[in-house]
Amino acid sequence: MLNPITISPNIQSGEPVFTNTRVPVKNLFDYLKGGHSLSEFLEDFPSVKKEQAIEVIDHFEKLLNFHPLNEKSSA
């Protein structure tokens, strides 16, 4: 998928949503934070494709694990 997230002022007042849906991306993280599984989220929001949800999770995981190239590892 090219871009799993859409941000448009015409959809949900500009809140990031899963592409081709009106489901806010925040809902996924709220579900996971609340102890629900990805499967439960997908059951409750069938317009979101599993691939979209996984791509969003992977994207944010990469952001959290980002290390600048010149950063020295402290062991």
Side-chain angles (χ1 to χ4, degrees):
M1 171 166 267
L2 262 157
N3 191 352
I5 298 172
T6 297
I7 300 172
S8 169
N10 300 323
I11 304 170
Q12 298 290 65
S13 301
E15 185 173 353
V17 297
F18 287 96
T19 298
N20 298 323
T21 77
R22 296 182 64 77
V23 178
V25 172
K26 181 182 181 309
N27 288 11
L28 171 61
F29 293 101
D30 287 344
Y31 260 64
L32 298 175
K33 190 169 82 173
H36 298 279
S37 69
L38 177 58
S39 294
E40 290 174 299
F41 172 79
L42 295 170
E43 285 176 23
D44 289 346
F45 297 96
S47 62
V48 177
K49 293 178 175 44
K50 183 177 182 179
E51 296 77 22
Q52 286 178 294
I54 291 171
E55 196 169 333
V56 167
I57 292 167
D58 287 347
H59 173 74
F60 283 99
E61 180 181 30
K62 286 175 190 167
L63 285 176
L64 292 172
N65 290 320
F66 174 75
H67 300 287
L69 293 175
N70 62 356
E71 181 179 293
K72 303 255 182 191
S73 177
S74 57

XYZ file of all heavy atoms in Angstrom:
600
model
N 0.852 -1.184 0.000
C 0.000 0.000 0.000
C 0.889 1.236 0.000
O 1.859 1.309 0.746
C -0.895 -0.054 1.236
C -1.669 1.200 1.486
S -2.992 0.991 2.665
C -4.297 0.646 1.521
N 0.523 2.200 -0.830
C 1.319 3.412 -0.944
C 1.369 4.208 0.345
O 2.427 4.534 0.837
C 0.766 4.294 -2.054
C 1.502 4.153 -3.361
C 0.641 4.567 -4.521
C 2.776 4.930 -3.327
N 0.232 4.540 0.891
C 0.195 5.302 2.138
C -1.009 4.824 2.948
O -2.138 5.051 2.554
C 0.096 6.796 1.846
C 0.333 7.623 3.080
O 0.429 7.097 4.187
N 0.403 8.918 2.919
N -0.760 4.201 4.087
C -1.863 3.668 4.881
C -2.640 4.740 5.642
O -3.707 4.474 6.168
C -1.178 2.710 5.838
C 0.177 3.292 6.025
C 0.530 3.891 4.686
N -2.086 5.959 5.673
C -2.710 7.048 6.435
C -3.052 8.202 5.503
O -2.259 8.558 4.627
C -1.763 7.561 7.545
C -1.462 6.458 8.547
C -2.343 8.778 8.245
C -0.400 6.822 9.561
N -4.224 8.784 5.716
C -4.634 9.979 4.985
C -4.900 11.095 5.991
O -5.515 10.860 7.027
C -5.932 9.714 4.184
O -5.662 8.715 3.205
C -6.438 10.973 3.513
N -4.397 12.283 5.649
C -4.682 13.474 6.458
C -5.275 14.505 5.513
O -4.618 14.943 4.574
C -3.403 14.017 7.131
C -2.798 12.959 8.042
C -3.722 15.292 7.911
C -1.435 13.321 8.605
N -6.530 14.827 5.751
C -7.232 15.792 4.902
C -8.176 16.610 5.771
O -8.887 16.044 6.609
C -8.041 15.053 3.832
O -8.912 15.948 3.175
N -8.211 17.917 5.563
C -9.139 18.739 6.352
C -10.597 18.368 6.109
O -11.464 18.693 6.907
C -8.842 20.169 5.901
C -8.110 20.041 4.614
C -7.441 18.696 4.613
N -10.864 17.642 5.022
C -12.236 17.254 4.679
C -12.667 15.927 5.308
O -13.808 15.519 5.143
C -12.386 17.159 3.160
C -12.095 18.473 2.477
O -12.428 19.530 2.998
N -11.451 18.417 1.340
N -11.738 15.238 5.963
C -12.051 13.946 6.583
C -11.725 14.028 8.073
O -10.578 14.287 8.443
C -11.239 12.802 5.950
C -11.466 12.737 4.436
C -11.603 11.466 6.591
C -10.534 11.799 3.707
N -12.729 13.834 8.911
C -12.560 13.846 10.370
C -11.797 15.086 10.850
O -10.920 14.992 11.712
C -11.854 12.574 10.857
C -12.594 11.288 10.576
C -13.846 11.120 11.417
O -14.785 11.902 11.278
N -13.863 10.122 12.262
N -12.078 16.222 10.253
C -11.466 17.515 10.628
C -9.944 17.489 10.587
O -9.275 18.155 11.375
C -11.939 17.929 12.025
O -13.342 18.055 12.053
N -9.374 16.704 9.685
C -7.924 16.680 9.524
C -7.197 15.686 10.400
O -5.969 15.581 10.337
N -7.925 14.942 11.209
C -7.285 13.916 12.047
C -6.783 12.786 11.144
O -7.474 12.386 10.210
C -8.301 13.365 13.052
C -7.703 12.387 14.030
C -8.689 11.986 15.126
O -9.791 12.550 15.209
O -8.317 11.093 15.894
N -5.572 12.267 11.384
C -5.070 11.156 10.565
C -6.013 9.950 10.635
O -6.400 9.521 11.725
C -3.716 10.820 11.186
C -3.305 12.064 11.904
C -4.586 12.690 12.381
N -6.397 9.449 9.461
C -7.279 8.288 9.375
C -6.621 7.235 8.497
O -5.706 7.524 7.716
C -8.660 8.652 8.786
C -9.394 9.642 9.673
C -8.543 9.177 7.368
N -7.099 6.006 8.613
C -6.654 4.967 7.702
C -7.198 5.301 6.315
O -8.368 5.650 6.173
C -7.146 3.597 8.163
C -6.414 3.086 9.373
C -6.934 3.274 10.637
C -5.200 2.436 9.235
C -6.266 2.816 11.758
C -4.518 1.976 10.346
C -5.037 2.163 11.610
N -6.355 5.212 5.308
C -6.730 5.549 3.945
C -7.972 4.773 3.510
O -8.115 3.586 3.808
C -5.551 5.263 2.993
O -4.457 6.105 3.384
C -5.896 5.557 1.548
N -8.850 5.477 2.822
C -10.124 4.943 2.315
C -11.100 4.566 3.422
O -11.996 3.743 3.218
C -9.902 3.761 1.365
C -9.127 4.158 0.134
O -9.315 5.251 -0.394
N -8.251 3.290 -0.315
N -10.912 5.145 4.615
C -11.843 4.951 5.728
C -12.024 6.301 6.418
O -11.373 7.278 6.076
C -11.324 3.943 6.779
O -10.328 4.575 7.593
C -10.762 2.691 6.145
N -12.863 6.303 7.427
C -12.996 7.473 8.296
C -12.554 7.081 9.716
O -12.891 7.742 10.682
C -14.432 7.975 8.289
C -14.871 8.464 6.906
C -16.270 9.010 6.893
N -16.448 10.194 7.715
C -16.061 11.428 7.398
N -15.448 11.647 6.260
N -16.294 12.422 8.214
N -11.773 6.018 9.820
C -11.335 5.494 11.114
C -10.033 6.191 11.519
O -9.010 6.041 10.844
C -11.113 3.971 11.056
C -10.618 3.441 12.401
C -12.388 3.252 10.628
N -10.057 6.953 12.617
C -8.829 7.610 13.075
C -7.756 6.602 13.472
O -8.037 5.571 14.095
C -9.286 8.404 14.304
C -10.760 8.592 14.113
C -11.217 7.332 13.419
N -6.523 6.899 13.091
C -5.386 6.045 13.449
C -5.276 5.943 14.967
O -4.912 4.895 15.510
C -4.082 6.595 12.825
C -2.868 5.864 13.337
C -4.170 6.526 11.307
N -5.624 7.004 15.663
C -5.569 7.027 17.127
C -6.380 5.879 17.729
O -6.011 5.335 18.769
C -6.082 8.377 17.630
C -6.044 8.534 19.136
C -6.620 9.880 19.541
C -6.600 10.119 21.015
N -7.164 9.079 21.840
N -7.468 5.492 17.064
C -8.288 4.396 17.584
C -7.489 3.101 17.726
O -7.676 2.360 18.684
C -9.492 4.144 16.670
C -10.529 5.235 16.758
O -10.290 6.286 17.336
N -11.677 4.991 16.167
N -6.607 2.846 16.764
C -5.781 1.637 16.844
C -4.929 1.663 18.100
O -4.888 0.688 18.858
C -4.893 1.515 15.605
C -3.822 0.422 15.654
C -4.445 -0.964 15.804
C -2.941 0.498 14.417
N -4.267 2.773 18.348
C -3.390 2.858 19.517
C -4.183 2.865 20.814
O -3.737 2.311 21.823
C -2.450 4.062 19.387
C -1.467 3.871 18.266
C -1.654 4.484 17.041
C -0.369 3.039 18.427
C -0.767 4.276 15.997
C 0.528 2.822 17.394
C 0.330 3.446 16.175
N -5.368 3.442 20.798
C -6.233 3.388 21.978
C -6.616 1.944 22.287
O -6.614 1.531 23.446
C -7.495 4.230 21.779
C -7.221 5.724 21.826
O -6.136 6.135 22.298
O -8.107 6.487 21.383
N -6.934 1.184 21.269
C -7.277 -0.229 21.457
C -6.104 -0.999 22.053
O -6.245 -1.735 23.022
C -7.670 -0.875 20.118
C -9.154 -1.009 19.911
C -9.960 0.121 19.820
C -9.750 -2.245 19.787
C -11.315 0.017 19.609
C -11.114 -2.368 19.581
C -11.901 -1.235 19.499
O -13.244 -1.354 19.309
N -4.938 -0.843 21.437
C -3.756 -1.577 21.904
C -3.377 -1.164 23.322
O -3.054 -2.013 24.158
C -2.588 -1.366 20.936
C -2.813 -1.886 19.506
C -1.635 -1.513 18.617
C -3.070 -3.381 19.493
N -3.435 0.126 23.589
C -3.120 0.638 24.925
C -4.102 0.102 25.959
O -3.740 -0.161 27.104
C -3.128 2.171 24.910
C -2.587 2.801 26.181
C -2.369 4.284 26.002
C -3.656 5.035 26.183
N -3.490 6.496 26.194
N -5.337 -0.101 25.545
C -6.368 -0.613 26.435
C -6.319 -2.116 26.631
O -7.184 -2.686 27.296
N -5.327 -2.774 26.033
C -5.173 -4.210 26.223
C -5.897 -5.066 25.204
O -5.951 -6.292 25.336
N -6.449 -4.440 24.177
C -7.146 -5.191 23.138
C -6.142 -5.646 22.081
O -5.091 -5.040 21.899
C -8.227 -4.337 22.481
C -9.285 -3.899 23.436
N -10.323 -4.710 23.816
C -9.450 -2.736 24.118
C -11.080 -4.066 24.674
N -10.571 -2.865 24.878
N -6.500 -6.678 21.376
C -5.617 -7.209 20.336
C -5.875 -6.509 19.004
O -6.906 -5.856 18.811
C -5.847 -8.707 20.160
O -7.132 -8.941 19.593
N -4.931 -6.697 18.094
C -5.106 -6.177 16.741
C -6.333 -6.825 16.101
O -7.107 -6.153 15.409
C -3.850 -6.445 15.909
C -3.905 -6.019 14.450
C -4.208 -4.535 14.302
C -2.613 -6.383 13.746
N -6.531 -8.094 16.346
C -7.700 -8.799 15.790
C -9.002 -8.166 16.256
O -9.941 -8.008 15.469
C -7.671 -10.268 16.190
O -6.580 -10.912 15.588
N -9.069 -7.795 17.529
C -10.274 -7.142 18.050
C -10.513 -5.805 17.352
O -11.645 -5.469 16.994
C -10.170 -6.936 19.556
C -10.255 -8.216 20.356
C -9.993 -7.985 21.829
O -8.885 -7.533 22.173
O -10.915 -8.264 22.621
N -9.439 -5.043 17.172
C -9.561 -3.760 16.473
C -10.106 -3.976 15.066
O -11.036 -3.290 14.634
C -8.197 -3.050 16.424
C -8.208 -1.823 15.570
C -8.726 -0.630 16.031
C -7.718 -1.873 14.270
C -8.761 0.506 15.234
C -7.737 -0.738 13.464
C -8.259 0.444 13.952
N -9.533 -4.947 14.348
C -9.950 -5.205 12.969
C -11.390 -5.706 12.895
O -12.102 -5.391 11.946
C -8.988 -6.195 12.314
C -7.552 -5.677 12.136
C -6.634 -6.806 11.699
C -7.502 -4.513 11.168
N -11.822 -6.448 13.889
C -13.216 -6.907 13.937
C -14.164 -5.727 14.129
O -15.237 -5.671 13.518
C -13.415 -7.897 15.083
C -12.857 -9.274 14.823
C -12.982 -10.199 16.021
O -13.860 -9.968 16.887
O -12.181 -11.146 16.097
N -13.761 -4.782 14.986
C -14.619 -3.635 15.275
C -14.573 -2.560 14.190
O -15.481 -1.727 14.102
C -14.251 -3.030 16.627
C -14.661 -3.916 17.796
O -15.461 -4.857 17.594
O -14.185 -3.662 18.923
N -13.514 -2.555 13.382
C -13.357 -1.582 12.300
C -13.033 -2.329 11.005
O -11.899 -2.283 10.503
C -12.254 -0.563 12.634
C -12.560 0.262 13.847
C -12.059 -0.102 15.089
C -13.368 1.388 13.759
C -12.353 0.641 16.221
C -13.661 2.144 14.885
C -13.161 1.765 16.123
N -14.020 -3.017 10.444
C -13.765 -3.868 9.277
C -13.325 -3.117 8.017
O -12.793 -3.742 7.098
C -15.106 -4.573 9.054
C -16.113 -3.737 9.737
C -15.407 -3.052 10.875
N -13.482 -1.806 7.986
C -13.023 -1.057 6.806
C -11.501 -0.891 6.800
O -10.913 -0.571 5.759
C -13.697 0.314 6.739
O -13.372 1.096 7.870
N -10.849 -1.144 7.934
C -9.390 -1.069 8.014
C -8.830 -2.444 7.642
O -9.229 -3.466 8.199
C -8.913 -0.665 9.430
C -7.393 -0.672 9.501
C -9.477 0.696 9.812
N -7.914 -2.456 6.700
C -7.282 -3.707 6.291
C -6.138 -4.039 7.249
O -5.456 -3.154 7.760
C -6.753 -3.596 4.869
C -7.860 -3.461 3.838
C -7.276 -3.302 2.455
C -8.309 -3.272 1.360
N -9.481 -2.473 1.584
N -5.941 -5.314 7.476
C -4.876 -5.759 8.381
C -3.520 -5.193 7.942
O -2.720 -4.756 8.768
C -4.821 -7.281 8.422
C -3.796 -7.833 9.379
C -3.841 -9.345 9.445
C -2.836 -9.881 10.446
N -2.888 -11.350 10.530
N -3.275 -5.186 6.643
C -2.003 -4.680 6.121
C -1.799 -3.208 6.477
O -0.684 -2.787 6.770
C -1.936 -4.860 4.594
C -1.958 -6.293 4.143
C -3.345 -6.949 4.180
O -4.384 -6.237 4.155
O -3.392 -8.190 4.261
N -2.896 -2.442 6.448
C -2.807 -1.026 6.817
C -2.383 -0.883 8.271
O -1.495 -0.092 8.594
C -4.160 -0.326 6.654
C -4.595 -0.040 5.261
C -5.963 0.599 5.259
O -6.936 -0.039 5.628
N -6.035 1.847 4.843
N -3.043 -1.611 9.142
C -2.761 -1.507 10.576
C -1.319 -1.912 10.866
O -0.621 -1.224 11.623
C -3.733 -2.368 11.365
N -0.871 -2.989 10.259
C 0.503 -3.452 10.487
C 1.514 -2.437 9.958
O 2.526 -2.154 10.610
C 0.716 -4.843 9.871
C -0.090 -5.873 10.678
C 2.199 -5.218 9.824
C -0.141 -7.247 10.077
N 1.222 -1.865 8.799
C 2.126 -0.864 8.238
C 2.232 0.362 9.152
O 3.317 0.913 9.347
C 1.652 -0.460 6.847
C 2.704 0.260 6.048
C 2.322 0.426 4.586
O 1.544 -0.389 4.070
O 2.815 1.396 3.979
N 1.119 0.780 9.737
C 1.131 1.927 10.658
C 1.932 1.587 11.914
O 2.769 2.371 12.362
C -0.314 2.356 11.010
C -0.331 3.308 12.194
C -0.975 2.998 9.802
N 1.707 0.420 12.467
C 2.457 -0.001 13.658
C 3.948 -0.058 13.342
O 4.775 0.447 14.112
C 1.949 -1.357 14.181
C 0.535 -1.206 14.737
C 2.894 -1.928 15.239
C -0.174 -2.516 14.998
N 4.312 -0.654 12.212
C 5.724 -0.737 11.817
C 6.335 0.646 11.646
O 7.476 0.883 12.058
C 5.879 -1.516 10.513
C 5.674 -3.008 10.669
O 5.659 -3.504 11.826
O 5.509 -3.687 9.623
N 5.591 1.558 11.047
C 6.086 2.921 10.834
C 6.431 3.596 12.164
O 7.516 4.163 12.324
C 5.050 3.748 10.076
C 5.410 5.189 9.961
N 6.379 5.650 9.115
C 4.934 6.277 10.627
C 6.498 6.957 9.254
N 5.623 7.365 10.158
N 5.509 3.517 13.110
C 5.757 4.174 14.395
C 6.836 3.459 15.195
O 7.592 4.093 15.930
C 4.460 4.336 15.185
C 3.631 5.467 14.649
C 2.573 5.228 13.784
C 3.934 6.781 14.961
C 1.824 6.275 13.261
C 3.196 7.836 14.444
C 2.140 7.580 13.587
N 6.953 2.163 15.025
C 8.037 1.425 15.690
C 9.388 1.901 15.161
O 10.322 2.135 15.930
C 7.881 -0.072 15.448
C 8.974 -0.895 16.112
C 8.829 -2.375 15.849
O 8.307 -2.767 14.788
O 9.252 -3.142 16.730
N 9.480 2.095 13.843
C 10.731 2.595 13.255
C 11.047 3.995 13.773
O 12.210 4.309 14.036
C 10.638 2.594 11.735
C 10.718 1.214 11.145
C 10.495 1.245 9.647
C 10.345 -0.172 9.126
N 9.828 -0.200 7.759
N 10.048 4.833 13.913
C 10.280 6.179 14.453
C 10.825 6.114 15.873
O 11.735 6.868 16.239
C 8.988 6.996 14.452
C 8.505 7.530 13.122
C 7.164 8.240 13.298
C 9.515 8.478 12.517
N 10.279 5.217 16.670
C 10.725 5.101 18.060
C 12.117 4.511 18.180
O 12.832 4.772 19.140
C 9.732 4.242 18.855
C 8.362 4.877 19.056
C 7.412 3.859 19.684
C 8.463 6.109 19.924
N 12.527 3.714 17.199
C 13.838 3.061 17.239
C 14.877 3.781 16.393
O 15.944 3.259 16.154
C 13.711 1.607 16.765
C 12.966 0.775 17.772
O 13.147 0.923 18.970
N 12.095 -0.089 17.282
N 14.565 4.990 15.945
C 15.478 5.754 15.095
C 16.722 6.169 15.875
O 16.632 6.668 16.991
C 14.774 6.999 14.553
C 15.705 7.911 13.790
C 16.112 7.567 12.516
C 16.177 9.067 14.353
C 16.974 8.396 11.812
C 17.039 9.903 13.657
C 17.439 9.558 12.383
N 17.868 5.949 15.260
C 19.146 6.376 15.836
C 19.915 7.121 14.749
O 20.169 6.557 13.683
C 19.977 5.186 16.303
C 19.304 4.365 17.351
N 19.163 4.778 18.650
C 18.707 3.157 17.286
C 18.525 3.860 19.348
N 18.228 2.858 18.535
N 20.288 8.370 15.007
C 21.071 9.105 14.004
C 22.349 8.335 13.658
O 22.924 7.651 14.499
C 21.401 10.428 14.702
C 20.368 10.566 15.770
C 20.033 9.156 16.189
N 22.798 8.461 12.422
C 23.975 7.730 11.954
C 25.230 8.053 12.745
O 26.079 7.200 12.940
C 24.213 8.017 10.472
C 23.157 7.485 9.523
C 23.450 7.939 8.087
C 23.089 5.973 9.601
N 25.354 9.283 13.210
C 26.571 9.667 13.914
C 26.501 9.419 15.416
O 27.427 9.748 16.149
C 26.925 11.139 13.635
C 25.847 12.077 14.126
O 24.805 11.646 14.611
N 26.093 13.375 13.988
N 25.413 8.832 15.876
C 25.267 8.569 17.310
C 26.164 7.403 17.704
O 26.163 6.353 17.086
C 23.817 8.229 17.643
C 23.595 7.965 19.119
C 22.137 7.648 19.397
O 21.308 8.555 19.241
O 21.876 6.493 19.747
N 26.953 7.591 18.745
C 27.825 6.533 19.245
C 27.049 5.679 20.224
O 26.312 6.182 21.057
C 29.039 7.142 19.960
C 29.840 8.080 19.093
C 31.083 7.432 18.658
C 31.847 8.465 17.843
N 32.898 8.095 17.140
N 27.212 4.377 20.105
C 26.547 3.449 21.010
C 27.257 3.436 22.342
O 28.485 3.379 22.394
C 26.539 2.048 20.401
O 25.968 1.140 21.310
N 26.491 3.539 23.428
C 27.120 3.482 24.743
C 26.854 2.117 25.339
O 25.719 1.726 25.593
C 26.563 4.585 25.653
O 25.168 4.466 25.765
N 27.902 1.368 25.521
C 27.754 0.000 26.035
C 28.267 -0.113 27.433
O 29.048 0.544 27.952
C 28.499 -0.976 25.131
